[in-house]
Amino acid sequence: MARPVSPTSASEEQTSRDDKIASDREGAWNASSDNEKKGDGNLIIPMPKLQRKLKSRHLQMIAIGGTIGTGLFIGSGSALATSGPAGSLIAYAFIGSIVYSVMVSLGEMATYIPISGAFTSYASRFVDPSAGFAMGWIYWFSWAITFALELTITGLLVQYWDRSLNIGIFIGVFWVFITVCNLLPVSFYGEFEFWFSMIKVVTVIGFLIFGICINAGAGEEGYIGFKYWNDPGAFALHPDFPDLAAPVAKWVGFWSVMIQAGFSYQGTELVGIAAGETENPRKNVPAAIRKTFWRILFFFVFTVFFIGILIPYTDERLLSSASDATASPFVIAAQRAGVQHLPGILNGVLLFVVLSAANSNVYAGSRILVGLANDGSAPRFLAHTSFSGVPVYAVGLTSALGLLAFLNLSESAATVFSWFLNITAVAGFITWANISISHIKFMRALKSRGISRESLPYMAFWQPYFSYYGLFWSVLITLTQGFTSFMPWDTSSFFVAYISLILWVLLYVGHKIVYRTRFVRAEEADIQTGCVDFEGEVWDEKVPSNLWEKFWDWL
Ligand SMILES: NC(=[NH2+])NCCC[C@H](N)C(=O)O
């Protein structure tokens, strides 16, 4: 439980800020009353009334739950097919480095100003209110669409056992289930998500152990080693461009995997969203960022590595357009090893995995909406929370977009899936680019006030270079990822690739025209509101005492 101990205040401004925080903790402070627009279009953003009920383990598991999902368990197979084992490994490691740069940038901001809906507010405050608006909505949209994508997959997974069942039944059932989970008080939500995510972690670790055994010769194929890196090879030629010269075709294969790899990692930034709800953010947020990142990198890079040594990229099942368990490289690896019953069991596990991801999708989406409503970018009622602190309307609206999954009743599931995937992944890259810009501007704002980086609650190394690195690559990938739609020109794949970018531009320009906002100058950026001086606060910290707790702490 939070137990604030009289923070020392240096100025009047500090005192009023502390008062605000204190009254917020008591639940007496009304967010809307303070949600005024400052004259020049820059916004003062209050701390929302969400409750700090999540513990560090919940926070980290939410980030894992929202991140490890369809991308890793199902989509990684097509990454292998298009770029080969070395190509996909390099792509995943490279995207991992971008994620790291984004995470540390976010970490510095989120510990200094821990607010819910965090990074959309950062963009509004440090960059340009229109940028925050556009980014917030596109990011929300990406999560809501991911929810629809995840529901599509759950329906398909159930059909693995019985194809005669109508996919719509399961989309409906799981839609209700996930929505109800998200309407429960946030501590329940954390608990659900925690156990769901546990299953993922265990699955990935199990797969890694399985991979080592099979590679060493435990399966039907005998010892495998790096055989498939030699034949068919380490890099695949992009299957859609047989006429290109080999080096070009390999490069095309490699670059086209960026979207898939980016999608797989997206969600890591959720730690920033959950920051507003965690206990002891000053300690937990940086720890969560560090641990989450290493854990995810470990899971992702190792998993992709093992998939690459166990399955030749020419295995046709990898390219099967059926987005069900038969397309999962986990299942294919089990089938190749000739292990009985394992494919069916894995299918069951994948169902849990996808449900957990869906649960995180709605959580993330609703919190983004709350952030948007609080900074005046969305109708205010969306920030309304129930007695137990759940933003009911925001949950409802986010869930509503999940109903798009019913598109599957009229379109082929594989098509719907790839549309959803591309739209969300590009939106994710746009978001990462925005986080990086926000951080660059945040650094400038600190500098203009003479606040040293040393005084930040969490200070990452190599900044601001990391932010520039994240910004450069995120922008480059966003702009170039759809290049295959130009070779030759294909209108529909162009729209699939660039619809998120187009939407973002429309939102940005639309907001700019209506509100006539301007770029925030470093000296004007609002780095006070929500900035919490946790110096004097003490939280009861549970030190791991038994073996189980120590294991958790390590994990
Ligand atoms: N920007 C987003 N919402 N991306 C969706 C992330 C999906 C998640 N990484 C998965 O593999 O299932």
Side-chain angles (χ1 to χ4, degrees), residues 258-288:
M258 292 299 157
I259 275 293
Q260 163 57 45
F263 177 85
S264 304
Y265 277 103
Q266 281 159 12
T268 319
E269 67 289 333
L270 278 176
V271 174
I273 294 274
E277 292 189 40
T278 181
E279 290 177 340
N280 198 358
R282 189 183 172 142
K283 178 169 172 287
N284 286 339
V285 175

Side-chain angles (χ1 to χ4, degrees), residues 181-408:
C181 281
N182 272 273
L183 289 174
L184 295 173
V186 69
S187 46
F188 281 104
Y189 168 83
E191 213 55 48
F192 265 114
E193 192 49 40
F194 180 76
W195 291 109
F196 269 160
S197 300
M198 265 300 281
I199 296 174
K200 290 186 184 187
V201 173
V202 171
T203 310
V204 177
I205 294 177
F207 178 75
L208 295 181
I209 297 171
F210 166 83
I212 294 172
C213 300
I214 297 300
N215 193 266
E220 267 176 7
E221 286 179 286
Y223 175 70
I224 301 174
F226 279 88
K227 173 163 104 181
Y228 298 134
W229 279 53
N230 287 320
D231 179 24
F235 292 93
L237 311 178
H238 194 301
D240 294 349
F241 302 99
D243 301 336
L244 291 177
V248 183
K250 284 180 184 172
W251 172 254
V252 171
F254 171 70
W255 198 251
S256 63
V257 164
M258 292 299 157
I259 275 293
Q260 163 57 45
F263 177 85
S264 304
Y265 277 103
Q266 281 159 12
T268 319
E269 67 289 333
L270 278 176
V271 174
I273 294 274
E277 292 189 40
T278 181
E279 290 177 340
N280 198 358
R282 189 183 172 142
K283 178 169 172 287
N284 286 339
V285 175
I289 285 177
R290 266 197 309 273
K291 282 191 189 173
T292 308
F293 174 75
W294 287 114
R295 216 177 298 162
I296 285 172
L297 191 65
F298 168 85
F299 286 154
F300 278 66
V301 174
F302 276 77
T303 305
V304 169
F305 171 74
F306 275 105
I307 289 171
I309 55 175
L310 295 180
I311 310 169
Y313 71 74
T314 43
D315 191 311
E316 313 153 342
R317 284 166 292 189
L318 288 172
L319 276 180
S320 132
S321 57
S323 305
D324 59 10
T326 54
S328 166
F330 284 51
V331 175
I332 298 171
Q335 285 169 340
R336 292 183 69 90
V339 188
Q340 295 263 307
H341 305 304
L342 196 59
I345 296 173
L346 274 174
N347 193 60
V349 173
L350 288 179
L351 185 61
F352 269 105
V353 163
V354 173
L355 281 175
S356 154
N359 201 22
S360 292
N361 298 161
V362 179
Y363 176 85
S366 60
R367 282 3 184 231
I368 295 159
L369 275 188
V370 171
L372 286 173
N374 275 321
D375 72 9
S377 301
R380 213 183 291 292
F381 75 92
L382 288 170
H384 174 82
T385 54
S386 69
F387 182 68
S388 51
V390 178
V392 271
Y393 298 114
V395 168
L397 187 61
T398 309
S399 281
L401 243 76
L403 295 173
L404 279 177
F406 283 108
L407 271 177
N408 283 291

Side-chain angles (χ1 to χ4, degrees), residues 133-144:
F133 173 84
M135 171 198 186
W137 277 104
I138 202 87
Y139 192 56
W140 168 75
F141 179 71
S142 84
W143 280 111

Side-chain angles (χ1 to χ4, degrees), residues 51-277:
Q51 300 178 358
R52 288 183 196 276
K53 283 266 175 64
L54 295 186
K55 299 203 166 49
S56 168
R57 68 181 177 108
H58 291 131
L59 177 59
Q60 294 176 36
M61 276 299 173
I62 288 168
I64 290 198
T67 309
I68 302 182
T70 318
L72 186 65
F73 288 106
I74 295 169
S76 53
S78 68
L80 176 62
T82 23
S83 65
S88 50
L89 188 63
I90 298 171
Y92 270 77
F94 171 59
I95 297 287
S97 72
I98 299 176
V99 178
Y100 185 71
S101 72
V102 172
M103 291 292 287
V104 291
S105 303
L106 186 55
E108 286 196 353
M109 296 187 288
T111 41
Y112 192 73
I113 309 177
I115 46 178
S116 195
F119 46 74
T120 60
S121 310
Y122 299 143
S124 298
R125 289 159 62 158
F126 311 149
V127 186
D128 174 358
S130 301
F133 173 84
M135 171 198 186
W137 277 104
I138 202 87
Y139 192 56
W140 168 75
F141 179 71
S142 84
W143 280 111
I145 294 288
T146 311
F147 180 40
L149 175 146
E150 237 63 88
L151 286 174
T152 304
I153 305 229
T154 48
L156 282 166
L157 289 174
V158 177
Q159 279 192 327
Y160 174 87
W161 289 292
D162 189 347
R163 285 213 174 255
S164 65
L165 294 169
N166 186 319
I167 187 171
I169 304 171
F170 297 98
I171 292 178
V173 168
F174 292 127
W175 184 88
V176 172
F177 176 66
I178 298 294
T179 307
V180 168
C181 281
N182 272 273
L183 289 174
L184 295 173
V186 69
S187 46
F188 281 104
Y189 168 83
E191 213 55 48
F192 265 114
E193 192 49 40
F194 180 76
W195 291 109
F196 269 160
S197 300
M198 265 300 281
I199 296 174
K200 290 186 184 187
V201 173
V202 171
T203 310
V204 177
I205 294 177
F207 178 75
L208 295 181
I209 297 171
F210 166 83
I212 294 172
C213 300
I214 297 300
N215 193 266
E220 267 176 7
E221 286 179 286
Y223 175 70
I224 301 174
F226 279 88
K227 173 163 104 181
Y228 298 134
W229 279 53
N230 287 320
D231 179 24
F235 292 93
L237 311 178
H238 194 301
D240 294 349
F241 302 99
D243 301 336
L244 291 177
V248 183
K250 284 180 184 172
W251 172 254
V252 171
F254 171 70
W255 198 251
S256 63
V257 164
M258 292 299 157
I259 275 293
Q260 163 57 45
F263 177 85
S264 304
Y265 277 103
Q266 281 159 12
T268 319
E269 67 289 333
L270 278 176
V271 174
I273 294 274
E277 292 189 40

